[in-house]
PDB file of all heavy atoms in Angstrom:
ATOM      1  N   VAL A 252     -98.241 160.430 -46.011  1.00  0.00           N
ATOM      2  CA  VAL A 252     -98.238 161.883 -45.815  1.00  0.00           C
ATOM      3  C   VAL A 252     -99.164 162.273 -44.667  1.00  0.00           C
ATOM      4  O   VAL A 252     -98.780 163.006 -43.748  1.00  0.00           O
ATOM      5  CB  VAL A 252     -98.659 162.597 -47.122  1.00  0.00           C
ATOM      6  CG1 VAL A 252     -98.880 164.093 -46.872  1.00  0.00           C
ATOM      7  CG2 VAL A 252     -97.610 162.380 -48.213  1.00  0.00           C
ATOM      8  N   THR A 253    -100.410 161.787 -44.708  1.00  0.00           N
ATOM      9  CA  THR A 253    -101.413 162.145 -43.704  1.00  0.00           C
ATOM     10  C   THR A 253    -100.990 161.735 -42.295  1.00  0.00           C
ATOM     11  O   THR A 253    -101.205 162.472 -41.318  1.00  0.00           O
ATOM     12  CB  THR A 253    -102.766 161.491 -44.051  1.00  0.00           C
ATOM     13  OG1 THR A 253    -103.170 161.925 -45.342  1.00  0.00           O
ATOM     14  CG2 THR A 253    -103.830 161.868 -43.035  1.00  0.00           C
ATOM     15  N   GLU A 254    -100.379 160.567 -42.189  1.00  0.00           N
ATOM     16  CA  GLU A 254     -99.968 160.066 -40.878  1.00  0.00           C
ATOM     17  C   GLU A 254     -98.580 160.554 -40.467  1.00  0.00           C
ATOM     18  O   GLU A 254     -98.028 160.093 -39.463  1.00  0.00           O
ATOM     19  CB  GLU A 254    -100.021 158.536 -40.886  1.00  0.00           C
ATOM     20  CG  GLU A 254    -101.434 157.995 -41.100  1.00  0.00           C
ATOM     21  CD  GLU A 254    -101.507 156.471 -41.119  1.00  0.00           C
ATOM     22  OE1 GLU A 254    -100.469 155.819 -40.832  1.00  0.00           O
ATOM     23  OE2 GLU A 254    -102.594 155.932 -41.405  1.00  0.00           O
ATOM     24  N   LYS A 255     -98.032 161.464 -41.264  1.00  0.00           N
ATOM     25  CA  LYS A 255     -96.735 162.108 -40.971  1.00  0.00           C
ATOM     26  C   LYS A 255     -95.580 161.106 -40.875  1.00  0.00           C
ATOM     27  O   LYS A 255     -94.594 161.330 -40.177  1.00  0.00           O
ATOM     28  CB  LYS A 255     -96.822 162.947 -39.682  1.00  0.00           C
ATOM     29  CG  LYS A 255     -97.878 164.045 -39.742  1.00  0.00           C
ATOM     30  CD  LYS A 255     -97.832 164.933 -38.535  1.00  0.00           C
ATOM     31  CE  LYS A 255     -98.918 166.003 -38.578  1.00  0.00           C
ATOM     32  NZ  LYS A 255     -98.828 166.881 -39.752  1.00  0.00           N
ATOM     33  N   ARG A 256     -95.703 160.004 -41.603  1.00  0.00           N
ATOM     34  CA  ARG A 256     -94.664 158.993 -41.580  1.00  0.00           C
ATOM     35  C   ARG A 256     -93.421 159.407 -42.373  1.00  0.00           C
ATOM     36  O   ARG A 256     -92.348 158.822 -42.203  1.00  0.00           O
ATOM     37  CB  ARG A 256     -95.214 157.665 -42.111  1.00  0.00           C
ATOM     38  CG  ARG A 256     -96.273 157.048 -41.192  1.00  0.00           C
ATOM     39  CD  ARG A 256     -96.899 155.805 -41.834  1.00  0.00           C
ATOM     40  NE  ARG A 256     -97.932 155.258 -40.964  1.00  0.00           N
ATOM     41  CZ  ARG A 256     -97.739 154.306 -40.048  1.00  0.00           C
ATOM     42  NH1 ARG A 256     -96.521 153.800 -39.882  1.00  0.00           N
ATOM     43  NH2 ARG A 256     -98.732 153.865 -39.304  1.00  0.00           N
ATOM     44  N   LEU A 257     -93.576 160.408 -43.258  1.00  0.00           N
ATOM     45  CA  LEU A 257     -92.435 160.880 -44.043  1.00  0.00           C
ATOM     46  C   LEU A 257     -91.725 162.063 -43.386  1.00  0.00           C
ATOM     47  O   LEU A 257     -90.609 162.412 -43.801  1.00  0.00           O
ATOM     48  CB  LEU A 257     -92.884 161.267 -45.458  1.00  0.00           C
ATOM     49  CG  LEU A 257     -93.440 160.131 -46.330  1.00  0.00           C
ATOM     50  CD1 LEU A 257     -93.894 160.669 -47.680  1.00  0.00           C
ATOM     51  CD2 LEU A 257     -92.403 159.024 -46.514  1.00  0.00           C
ATOM     52  N   ASP A 258     -92.367 162.672 -42.389  1.00  0.00           N
ATOM     53  CA  ASP A 258     -91.739 163.805 -41.708  1.00  0.00           C
ATOM     54  C   ASP A 258     -90.475 163.339 -40.985  1.00  0.00           C
ATOM     55  O   ASP A 258     -90.510 162.391 -40.186  1.00  0.00           O
ATOM     56  CB  ASP A 258     -92.705 164.428 -40.692  1.00  0.00           C
ATOM     57  CG  ASP A 258     -93.893 165.102 -41.352  1.00  0.00           C
ATOM     58  OD1 ASP A 258     -94.049 164.958 -42.583  1.00  0.00           O
ATOM     59  OD2 ASP A 258     -94.672 165.750 -40.635  1.00  0.00           O
ATOM     60  N   GLY A 259     -89.357 163.988 -41.280  1.00  0.00           N
ATOM     61  CA  GLY A 259     -88.107 163.623 -40.635  1.00  0.00           C
ATOM     62  C   GLY A 259     -87.332 162.527 -41.353  1.00  0.00           C
ATOM     63  O   GLY A 259     -86.256 162.127 -40.884  1.00  0.00           O
ATOM     64  N   THR A 260     -87.860 162.029 -42.490  1.00  0.00           N
ATOM     65  CA  THR A 260     -87.092 161.059 -43.278  1.00  0.00           C
ATOM     66  C   THR A 260     -86.143 161.815 -44.208  1.00  0.00           C
ATOM     67  O   THR A 260     -86.027 163.044 -44.132  1.00  0.00           O
ATOM     68  CB  THR A 260     -88.025 160.133 -44.083  1.00  0.00           C
ATOM     69  OG1 THR A 260     -88.814 160.923 -44.988  1.00  0.00           O
ATOM     70  CG2 THR A 260     -88.946 159.361 -43.147  1.00  0.00           C
ATOM     71  N   ASN A 261     -85.469 161.104 -45.096  1.00  0.00           N
ATOM     72  CA  ASN A 261     -84.443 161.733 -45.928  1.00  0.00           C
ATOM     73  C   ASN A 261     -84.535 161.310 -47.390  1.00  0.00           C
ATOM     74  O   ASN A 261     -85.070 160.245 -47.713  1.00  0.00           O
ATOM     75  CB  ASN A 261     -83.041 161.335 -45.435  1.00  0.00           C
ATOM     76  CG  ASN A 261     -82.768 161.742 -44.014  1.00  0.00           C
ATOM     77  OD1 ASN A 261     -82.834 162.908 -43.671  1.00  0.00           O
ATOM     78  ND2 ASN A 261     -82.460 160.756 -43.170  1.00  0.00           N
ATOM     79  N   PHE A 262     -83.962 162.154 -48.234  1.00  0.00           N
ATOM     80  CA  PHE A 262     -83.510 161.714 -49.548  1.00  0.00           C
ATOM     81  C   PHE A 262     -82.087 161.211 -49.322  1.00  0.00           C
ATOM     82  O   PHE A 262     -81.208 161.976 -48.934  1.00  0.00           O
ATOM     83  CB  PHE A 262     -83.528 162.860 -50.560  1.00  0.00           C
ATOM     84  CG  PHE A 262     -84.895 163.162 -51.111  1.00  0.00           C
ATOM     85  CD1 PHE A 262     -85.609 164.265 -50.665  1.00  0.00           C
ATOM     86  CD2 PHE A 262     -85.459 162.335 -52.070  1.00  0.00           C
ATOM     87  CE1 PHE A 262     -86.867 164.540 -51.173  1.00  0.00           C
ATOM     88  CE2 PHE A 262     -86.730 162.596 -52.576  1.00  0.00           C
ATOM     89  CZ  PHE A 262     -87.437 163.696 -52.123  1.00  0.00           C
ATOM     90  N   TYR A 263     -81.881 159.933 -49.532  1.00  0.00           N
ATOM     91  CA  TYR A 263     -80.614 159.312 -49.163  1.00  0.00           C
ATOM     92  C   TYR A 263     -79.823 158.739 -50.343  1.00  0.00           C
ATOM     93  O   TYR A 263     -78.677 158.315 -50.189  1.00  0.00           O
ATOM     94  CB  TYR A 263     -80.852 158.192 -48.144  1.00  0.00           C
ATOM     95  CG  TYR A 263     -81.894 157.169 -48.571  1.00  0.00           C
ATOM     96  CD1 TYR A 263     -81.554 156.094 -49.399  1.00  0.00           C
ATOM     97  CD2 TYR A 263     -83.215 157.279 -48.147  1.00  0.00           C
ATOM     98  CE1 TYR A 263     -82.497 155.172 -49.793  1.00  0.00           C
ATOM     99  CE2 TYR A 263     -84.164 156.351 -48.534  1.00  0.00           C
ATOM    100  CZ  TYR A 263     -83.806 155.299 -49.363  1.00  0.00           C
ATOM    101  OH  TYR A 263     -84.750 154.383 -49.760  1.00  0.00           O
ATOM    102  N   ARG A 264     -80.423 158.732 -51.518  1.00  0.00           N
ATOM    103  CA  ARG A 264     -79.756 158.127 -52.687  1.00  0.00           C
ATOM    104  C   ARG A 264     -79.809 159.071 -53.877  1.00  0.00           C
ATOM    105  O   ARG A 264     -80.824 159.713 -54.125  1.00  0.00           O
ATOM    106  CB  ARG A 264     -80.451 156.816 -53.051  1.00  0.00           C
ATOM    107  CG  ARG A 264     -79.861 156.105 -54.264  1.00  0.00           C
ATOM    108  CD  ARG A 264     -80.748 154.950 -54.679  1.00  0.00           C
ATOM    109  NE  ARG A 264     -80.212 154.209 -55.811  1.00  0.00           N
ATOM    110  CZ  ARG A 264     -80.915 153.378 -56.560  1.00  0.00           C
ATOM    111  NH1 ARG A 264     -82.198 153.157 -56.295  1.00  0.00           N
ATOM    112  NH2 ARG A 264     -80.349 152.743 -57.579  1.00  0.00           N
ATOM    113  N   ALA A 265     -78.709 159.138 -54.644  1.00  0.00           N
ATOM    114  CA  ALA A 265     -78.658 159.918 -55.881  1.00  0.00           C
ATOM    115  C   ALA A 265     -77.962 159.081 -56.945  1.00  0.00           C
ATOM    116  O   ALA A 265     -76.770 158.782 -56.832  1.00  0.00           O
ATOM    117  CB  ALA A 265     -77.924 161.234 -55.666  1.00  0.00           C
ATOM    118  N   LEU A 266     -78.719 158.674 -57.953  1.00  0.00           N
ATOM    119  CA  LEU A 266     -78.180 157.897 -59.059  1.00  0.00           C
ATOM    120  C   LEU A 266     -77.986 158.824 -60.256  1.00  0.00           C
ATOM    121  O   LEU A 266     -78.955 159.344 -60.809  1.00  0.00           O
ATOM    122  CB  LEU A 266     -79.132 156.757 -59.421  1.00  0.00           C
ATOM    123  CG  LEU A 266     -78.877 156.047 -60.757  1.00  0.00           C
ATOM    124  CD1 LEU A 266     -77.490 155.414 -60.776  1.00  0.00           C
ATOM    125  CD2 LEU A 266     -79.957 155.012 -61.029  1.00  0.00           C
ATOM    126  N   ASN A 267     -76.755 159.052 -60.647  1.00  0.00           N
ATOM    127  CA  ASN A 267     -76.438 159.908 -61.790  1.00  0.00           C
ATOM    128  C   ASN A 267     -76.116 159.042 -63.002  1.00  0.00           C
ATOM    129  O   ASN A 267     -75.146 158.279 -62.992  1.00  0.00           O
ATOM    130  CB  ASN A 267     -75.258 160.821 -61.458  1.00  0.00           C
ATOM    131  CG  ASN A 267     -75.656 161.983 -60.569  1.00  0.00           C
ATOM    132  OD1 ASN A 267     -76.058 163.034 -61.037  1.00  0.00           O
ATOM    133  ND2 ASN A 267     -75.560 161.773 -59.255  1.00  0.00           N
ATOM    134  N   LEU A 268     -76.927 159.173 -64.048  1.00  0.00           N
ATOM    135  CA  LEU A 268     -76.700 158.426 -65.287  1.00  0.00           C
ATOM    136  C   LEU A 268     -75.940 159.251 -66.314  1.00  0.00           C
ATOM    137  O   LEU A 268     -75.211 158.712 -67.151  1.00  0.00           O
ATOM    138  CB  LEU A 268     -78.038 157.978 -65.871  1.00  0.00           C
ATOM    139  CG  LEU A 268     -78.873 157.051 -64.972  1.00  0.00           C
ATOM    140  CD1 LEU A 268     -80.235 156.797 -65.608  1.00  0.00           C
ATOM    141  CD2 LEU A 268     -78.144 155.754 -64.725  1.00  0.00           C
ATOM    142  N   ALA A 269     -76.135 160.555 -66.283  1.00  0.00           N
ATOM    143  CA  ALA A 269     -75.474 161.514 -67.167  1.00  0.00           C
ATOM    144  C   ALA A 269     -75.646 162.861 -66.490  1.00  0.00           C
ATOM    145  O   ALA A 269     -76.423 162.987 -65.532  1.00  0.00           O
ATOM    146  CB  ALA A 269     -76.110 161.501 -68.557  1.00  0.00           C
ATOM    147  N   PRO A 270     -74.931 163.892 -66.931  1.00  0.00           N
ATOM    148  CA  PRO A 270     -75.095 165.198 -66.290  1.00  0.00           C
ATOM    149  C   PRO A 270     -76.556 165.648 -66.259  1.00  0.00           C
ATOM    150  O   PRO A 270     -77.191 165.802 -67.297  1.00  0.00           O
ATOM    151  CB  PRO A 270     -74.238 166.114 -67.165  1.00  0.00           C
ATOM    152  CG  PRO A 270     -73.181 165.220 -67.720  1.00  0.00           C
ATOM    153  CD  PRO A 270     -73.867 163.906 -67.954  1.00  0.00           C
ATOM    154  N   GLY A 271     -77.078 165.836 -65.049  1.00  0.00           N
ATOM    155  CA  GLY A 271     -78.454 166.294 -64.885  1.00  0.00           C
ATOM    156  C   GLY A 271     -79.516 165.239 -65.095  1.00  0.00           C
ATOM    157  O   GLY A 271     -80.712 165.529 -65.029  1.00  0.00           O
ATOM    158  N   ILE A 272     -79.130 164.010 -65.346  1.00  0.00           N
ATOM    159  CA  ILE A 272     -80.095 162.928 -65.594  1.00  0.00           C
ATOM    160  C   ILE A 272     -79.858 161.807 -64.591  1.00  0.00           C
ATOM    161  O   ILE A 272     -78.725 161.372 -64.386  1.00  0.00           O
ATOM    162  CB  ILE A 272     -79.974 162.387 -67.029  1.00  0.00           C
ATOM    163  CG1 ILE A 272     -80.282 163.489 -68.040  1.00  0.00           C
ATOM    164  CG2 ILE A 272     -80.925 161.199 -67.244  1.00  0.00           C
ATOM    165  CD1 ILE A 272     -80.106 163.067 -69.481  1.00  0.00           C
ATOM    166  N   GLY A 273     -80.930 161.354 -63.975  1.00  0.00           N
ATOM    167  CA  GLY A 273     -80.822 160.283 -62.985  1.00  0.00           C
ATOM    168  C   GLY A 273     -82.048 160.257 -62.108  1.00  0.00           C
ATOM    169  O   GLY A 273     -83.156 160.579 -62.554  1.00  0.00           O
ATOM    170  N   LEU A 274     -81.867 159.877 -60.856  1.00  0.00           N
ATOM    171  CA  LEU A 274     -82.991 159.850 -59.928  1.00  0.00           C
ATOM    172  C   LEU A 274     -82.489 160.065 -58.507  1.00  0.00           C
ATOM    173  O   LEU A 274     -81.325 159.824 -58.196  1.00  0.00           O
ATOM    174  CB  LEU A 274     -83.766 158.534 -60.035  1.00  0.00           C
ATOM    175  CG  LEU A 274     -83.054 157.217 -59.701  1.00  0.00           C
ATOM    176  CD1 LEU A 274     -83.029 156.906 -58.203  1.00  0.00           C
ATOM    177  CD2 LEU A 274     -83.732 156.069 -60.449  1.00  0.00           C
ATOM    178  N   ILE A 275     -83.403 160.543 -57.666  1.00  0.00           N
ATOM    179  CA  ILE A 275     -83.135 160.674 -56.237  1.00  0.00           C
ATOM    180  C   ILE A 275     -84.154 159.818 -55.505  1.00  0.00           C
ATOM    181  O   ILE A 275     -85.310 159.720 -55.917  1.00  0.00           O
ATOM    182  CB  ILE A 275     -83.185 162.135 -55.751  1.00  0.00           C
ATOM    183  CG1 ILE A 275     -84.567 162.761 -55.998  1.00  0.00           C
ATOM    184  CG2 ILE A 275     -82.100 162.959 -56.435  1.00  0.00           C
ATOM    185  CD1 ILE A 275     -84.745 164.139 -55.378  1.00  0.00           C
ATOM    186  N   GLN A 276     -83.730 159.179 -54.434  1.00  0.00           N
ATOM    187  CA  GLN A 276     -84.612 158.272 -53.691  1.00  0.00           C
ATOM    188  C   GLN A 276     -84.702 158.701 -52.237  1.00  0.00           C
ATOM    189  O   GLN A 276     -83.713 159.110 -51.636  1.00  0.00           O
ATOM    190  CB  GLN A 276     -84.083 156.838 -53.784  1.00  0.00           C
ATOM    191  CG  GLN A 276     -84.984 155.793 -53.129  1.00  0.00           C
ATOM    192  CD  GLN A 276     -84.555 154.377 -53.482  1.00  0.00           C
ATOM    193  OE1 GLN A 276     -84.218 154.097 -54.630  1.00  0.00           O
ATOM    194  NE2 GLN A 276     -84.568 153.493 -52.501  1.00  0.00           N
ATOM    195  N   GLY A 277     -85.911 158.609 -51.691  1.00  0.00           N
ATOM    196  CA  GLY A 277     -86.125 158.980 -50.301  1.00  0.00           C
ATOM    197  C   GLY A 277     -87.227 158.156 -49.677  1.00  0.00           C
ATOM    198  O   GLY A 277     -87.800 157.269 -50.303  1.00  0.00           O
ATOM    199  N   GLY A 278     -87.531 158.466 -48.409  1.00  0.00           N
ATOM    200  CA  GLY A 278     -88.603 157.767 -47.723  1.00  0.00           C
ATOM    201  C   GLY A 278     -88.171 157.127 -46.428  1.00  0.00           C
ATOM    202  O   GLY A 278     -87.163 157.521 -45.829  1.00  0.00           O
ATOM    203  N   VAL A 279     -88.919 156.128 -46.003  1.00  0.00           N
ATOM    204  CA  VAL A 279     -88.746 155.551 -44.665  1.00  0.00           C
ATOM    205  C   VAL A 279     -87.553 154.611 -44.562  1.00  0.00           C
ATOM    206  O   VAL A 279     -87.151 154.227 -43.480  1.00  0.00           O
ATOM    207  CB  VAL A 279     -90.029 154.824 -44.225  1.00  0.00           C
ATOM    208  CG1 VAL A 279     -91.222 155.764 -44.237  1.00  0.00           C
ATOM    209  CG2 VAL A 279     -90.296 153.600 -45.096  1.00  0.00           C
ATOM    210  N   ARG A 280     -87.025 154.189 -45.676  1.00  0.00           N
ATOM    211  CA  ARG A 280     -85.835 153.331 -45.737  1.00  0.00           C
ATOM    212  C   ARG A 280     -86.003 152.051 -44.916  1.00  0.00           C
ATOM    213  O   ARG A 280     -85.098 151.605 -44.217  1.00  0.00           O
ATOM    214  CB  ARG A 280     -84.601 154.117 -45.297  1.00  0.00           C
ATOM    215  CG  ARG A 280     -83.301 153.603 -45.876  1.00  0.00           C
ATOM    216  CD  ARG A 280     -82.157 154.535 -45.582  1.00  0.00           C
ATOM    217  NE  ARG A 280     -80.913 154.003 -46.118  1.00  0.00           N
ATOM    218  CZ  ARG A 280     -79.730 154.618 -46.007  1.00  0.00           C
ATOM    219  NH1 ARG A 280     -79.643 155.793 -45.392  1.00  0.00           N
ATOM    220  NH2 ARG A 280     -78.644 154.079 -46.509  1.00  0.00           N
ATOM    221  N   GLY A 281     -87.195 151.491 -45.005  1.00  0.00           N
ATOM    222  CA  GLY A 281     -87.450 150.221 -44.344  1.00  0.00           C
ATOM    223  C   GLY A 281     -87.632 150.290 -42.846  1.00  0.00           C
ATOM    224  O   GLY A 281     -87.705 149.246 -42.183  1.00  0.00           O
ATOM    225  N   ASP A 282     -87.743 151.473 -42.281  1.00  0.00           N
ATOM    226  CA  ASP A 282     -87.925 151.618 -40.837  1.00  0.00           C
ATOM    227  C   ASP A 282     -89.240 150.950 -40.427  1.00  0.00           C
ATOM    228  O   ASP A 282     -90.320 151.383 -40.832  1.00  0.00           O
ATOM    229  CB  ASP A 282     -87.944 153.102 -40.475  1.00  0.00           C
ATOM    230  CG  ASP A 282     -88.078 153.347 -38.976  1.00  0.00           C
ATOM    231  OD1 ASP A 282     -88.355 152.398 -38.218  1.00  0.00           O
ATOM    232  OD2 ASP A 282     -87.906 154.515 -38.553  1.00  0.00           O
ATOM    233  N   PRO A 283     -89.196 149.905 -39.607  1.00  0.00           N
ATOM    234  CA  PRO A 283     -90.429 149.190 -39.256  1.00  0.00           C
ATOM    235  C   PRO A 283     -91.421 150.049 -38.478  1.00  0.00           C
ATOM    236  O   PRO A 283     -92.625 149.763 -38.492  1.00  0.00           O
ATOM    237  CB  PRO A 283     -89.930 148.007 -38.415  1.00  0.00           C
ATOM    238  CG  PRO A 283     -88.581 148.429 -37.908  1.00  0.00           C
ATOM    239  CD  PRO A 283     -88.007 149.300 -38.969  1.00  0.00           C
ATOM    240  N   LYS A 284     -90.949 151.075 -37.788  1.00  0.00           N
ATOM    241  CA  LYS A 284     -91.856 151.948 -37.038  1.00  0.00           C
ATOM    242  C   LYS A 284     -92.639 152.885 -37.965  1.00  0.00           C
ATOM    243  O   LYS A 284     -93.681 153.408 -37.570  1.00  0.00           O
ATOM    244  CB  LYS A 284     -91.068 152.763 -36.018  1.00  0.00           C
ATOM    245  CG  LYS A 284     -90.450 151.932 -34.907  1.00  0.00           C
ATOM    246  CD  LYS A 284     -89.718 152.816 -33.910  1.00  0.00           C
ATOM    247  CE  LYS A 284     -89.099 151.990 -32.789  1.00  0.00           C
ATOM    248  NZ  LYS A 284     -88.375 152.842 -31.796  1.00  0.00           N
ATOM    249  N   ARG A 285     -92.115 153.102 -39.149  1.00  0.00           N
ATOM    250  CA  ARG A 285     -92.773 154.005 -40.097  1.00  0.00           C
ATOM    251  C   ARG A 285     -93.479 153.262 -41.239  1.00  0.00           C
ATOM    252  O   ARG A 285     -94.383 153.794 -41.861  1.00  0.00           O
ATOM    253  CB  ARG A 285     -91.746 154.968 -40.712  1.00  0.00           C
ATOM    254  CG  ARG A 285     -91.139 155.961 -39.736  1.00  0.00           C
ATOM    255  CD  ARG A 285     -90.097 156.822 -40.459  1.00  0.00           C
ATOM    256  NE  ARG A 285     -89.465 157.811 -39.593  1.00  0.00           N
ATOM    257  CZ  ARG A 285     -89.894 159.067 -39.433  1.00  0.00           C
ATOM    258  NH1 ARG A 285     -90.968 159.478 -40.083  1.00  0.00           N
ATOM    259  NH2 ARG A 285     -89.265 159.913 -38.645  1.00  0.00           N
ATOM    260  N   SER A 286     -93.055 152.045 -41.509  1.00  0.00           N
ATOM    261  CA  SER A 286     -93.539 151.322 -42.686  1.00  0.00           C
ATOM    262  C   SER A 286     -94.926 150.735 -42.486  1.00  0.00           C
ATOM    263  O   SER A 286     -95.240 150.186 -41.419  1.00  0.00           O
ATOM    264  CB  SER A 286     -92.560 150.196 -43.046  1.00  0.00           C
ATOM    265  OG  SER A 286     -91.286 150.711 -43.370  1.00  0.00           O
ATOM    266  N   LEU A 287     -95.738 150.835 -43.533  1.00  0.00           N
ATOM    267  CA  LEU A 287     -97.039 150.169 -43.586  1.00  0.00           C
ATOM    268  C   LEU A 287     -96.889 148.868 -44.372  1.00  0.00           C
ATOM    269  O   LEU A 287     -95.809 148.551 -44.874  1.00  0.00           O
ATOM    270  CB  LEU A 287     -98.057 151.095 -44.262  1.00  0.00           C
ATOM    271  CG  LEU A 287     -98.327 152.422 -43.552  1.00  0.00           C
ATOM    272  CD1 LEU A 287     -99.143 153.348 -44.456  1.00  0.00           C
ATOM    273  CD2 LEU A 287     -99.044 152.186 -42.233  1.00  0.00           C
ATOM    274  N   LYS A 288     -97.960 148.128 -44.500  1.00  0.00           N
ATOM    275  CA  LYS A 288     -97.911 146.876 -45.240  1.00  0.00           C
ATOM    276  C   LYS A 288     -97.613 147.142 -46.713  1.00  0.00           C
ATOM    277  O   LYS A 288     -98.030 148.165 -47.269  1.00  0.00           O
ATOM    278  CB  LYS A 288     -99.241 146.131 -45.102  1.00  0.00           C
ATOM    279  CG  LYS A 288     -99.500 145.583 -43.703  1.00  0.00           C
ATOM    280  CD  LYS A 288    -100.810 144.823 -43.667  1.00  0.00           C
ATOM    281  CE  LYS A 288    -101.065 144.247 -42.275  1.00  0.00           C
ATOM    282  NZ  LYS A 288    -102.345 143.486 -42.219  1.00  0.00           N
TER     283      LYS A 288
END
């Protein structure tokens, strides 16, 4: 957050297990320019 590595990234995944239940996934998506160790 502080280094602004999440700015401009996306929520790219939506897993629906039941109506209104599941998870959403986001972040750097393995981008080597944004990823830390």
Side-chain angles (χ1 to χ4, degrees):
V252 171
T253 302
E254 297 180 7
K255 301 186 182 301
R256 293 174 182 267
L257 296 178
D258 292 8
T260 61
N261 300 302
F262 281 103
Y263 52 84
R264 179 189 182 197
L266 166 60
N267 283 272
L268 299 174
I272 298 177
L274 62 83
I275 60 172
Q276 184 169 318
V279 302
R280 206 171 178 180
D282 182 349
K284 293 182 180 180
R285 293 178 180 268
S286 298
L287 298 169
K288 291 182 179 180

